Amino acid sequence: MVSKAYNNPEYYEIALSSLRNVKKEVDFLDKAAKKYSKVKVYSMMEIGCGNSPYVEEISKKGYQFVGLDLNKRMLDFSKTKAKKKEVDIKTAYANMLNFKLKEKVDFCFVLFGSIYRKNHEEFLQHLKCVSNSLKKGGLYVLHMVIEGDVNEIEGKFIDYSKRGNIKVKVEYEKRVIDISRQLLQENLTLFVNDNGKKIKLFEPNIYNFILPQEFKLMIKQSDFEFLDWFDGFNINKKFDGLRKCEYVVCILRKK
Ligand SMILES: C[S@@+](CC[C@H](N)C(=O)[O-])C[C@H]1O[C@@H](n2cnc3c(N)ncnc32)[C@H](O)[C@@H]1O
């Protein structure tokens, strides 16, 4: 039987490690907080945090990390990892489409487009939940949620990562399965070699893709104001919505 990739956080962490530049990405979040937030930022919440790859760097900058996820294994993994690094974190076991935190956070972010929605209604529902759990004037940073290049909506890549004696081959593919409902099928497959033991992990998902101009219209219907968007985690390189870019990083602020 093939297991799910998200139920195996230790392998998922290794698999995605080569695709990140944690320092650069957290620097971006820090700069955004300082430049655009209307509230003083003490806490940063990652939506769909998974293995919480940014915990240590966020804590180094002096912020309290909060991780929200619907997978207990991912949350337990994040807590154990943070404990080893002597970092204090908070977690929320919740569905990102239907949640309200008891204590509001100052800043939210989501990585790798991890908003699990099947249509625009669900996206708006998600924004409502984030808004209910975020202080007024606080930011929501979205990475890879908006398509920046029509040629990148579909695609496939293969990558290789290694940690100690564990090697992981990553295969990722996404293709349009329903153009009228803007639905994409994505498949993440991890081929793990753990000290000679071979394990295959699979994570399929169907989600709806969002184009730049409809994103702006949807934001007008939400509790957020659109502030700006960028070509990657580079606060000096703006995305203008016209020229293609590899991936969009967008900053919203709660009104
Ligand atoms: C692609 S992983 C992203 C993990 C991490 N943010 C990263 O940068 O690698 C997506 C995560 O979202 C979580 N997730 C999926 N659907 C969710 C939902 N409806 N509510 C909360 N978390 C969800 C999964 O359990 C998984 O840990």
Side-chain angles (χ1 to χ4, degrees), residues 74-215:
M74 285 289 197
L75 292 178
D76 288 344
F77 179 84
S78 299
K79 284 189 261 187
T80 307
K81 188 171 68 172
K83 205 170 175 189
K84 274 191 201 148
K85 310 249 180 210
E86 298 184 343
V87 175
D88 172 45
I89 68 166
K90 290 186 180 167
T91 55
Y93 172 60
N95 183 345
M96 63 174 75
L97 299 180
N98 182 17
F99 73 96
K100 188 171 182 180
L101 301 181
K102 281 192 197 127
E103 199 183 328
K104 288 189 178 177
V105 292
D106 306 316
F107 185 106
C108 289
F109 65 99
V110 66
L111 302 166
F112 287 103
S114 305
I115 301 176
Y116 289 84
R117 76 278 171 183
K118 294 280 186 285
N119 50 53
H120 291 351
E121 285 296 324
E122 286 189 352
F123 177 67
L124 287 171
Q125 191 180 316
H126 166 72
L127 285 183
K128 190 75 203 161
C129 295
V130 176
S131 157
N132 287 338
S133 298
L134 180 67
K135 287 188 193 148
K136 192 172 173 213
L139 305 182
Y140 186 20
V141 175
L142 302 97
H143 165 234
M144 289 178 83
V145 171
I146 308 137
E147 300 298 329
D149 178 359
V150 76
N151 297 313
E152 297 281 336
I153 291 176
E154 291 189 299
K156 185 173 179 171
F157 81 82
I158 294 177
D159 191 45
Y160 298 87
S161 291
K162 189 172 183 282
R163 185 178 292 169
N165 287 331
I166 306 176
K167 293 180 200 151
V168 184
K169 178 184 173 193
V170 182
E171 272 185 21
Y172 176 79
E173 186 176 20
K174 52 178 187 163
R175 59 188 172 80
V176 176
I177 54 166
D178 183 337
I179 190 69
S180 63
R181 286 185 286 165
Q182 297 181 211
L183 287 176
L184 280 170
Q185 165 82 47
E186 70 172 1
N187 291 327
L188 173 71
T189 315
L190 309 183
F191 299 90
V192 180
N193 183 332
D194 185 342
N195 287 279
K197 186 178 169 199
K198 296 197 172 154
I199 306 157
K200 184 177 170 186
L201 304 173
F202 188 54
E203 194 69 48
N205 175 39
I206 293 174
Y207 70 97
N208 101 306
F209 63 86
I210 301 176
L211 302 169
Q213 59 176 334
E214 62 186 2
F215 175 78

Side-chain angles (χ1 to χ4, degrees), residues 6 12 16 20 46 48-51 53-54 68-71 74 94-96 111-112 114 116:
Y6 295 166
Y12 175 80
L16 276 268
R20 303 181 199 280
E46 180 175 0
C49 62
N51 58 308
Y54 299 83
L68 180 146
D69 207 288
L70 197 51
N71 184 320
M74 285 289 197
N95 183 345
M96 63 174 75
L111 302 166
F112 287 103
S114 305
Y116 289 84

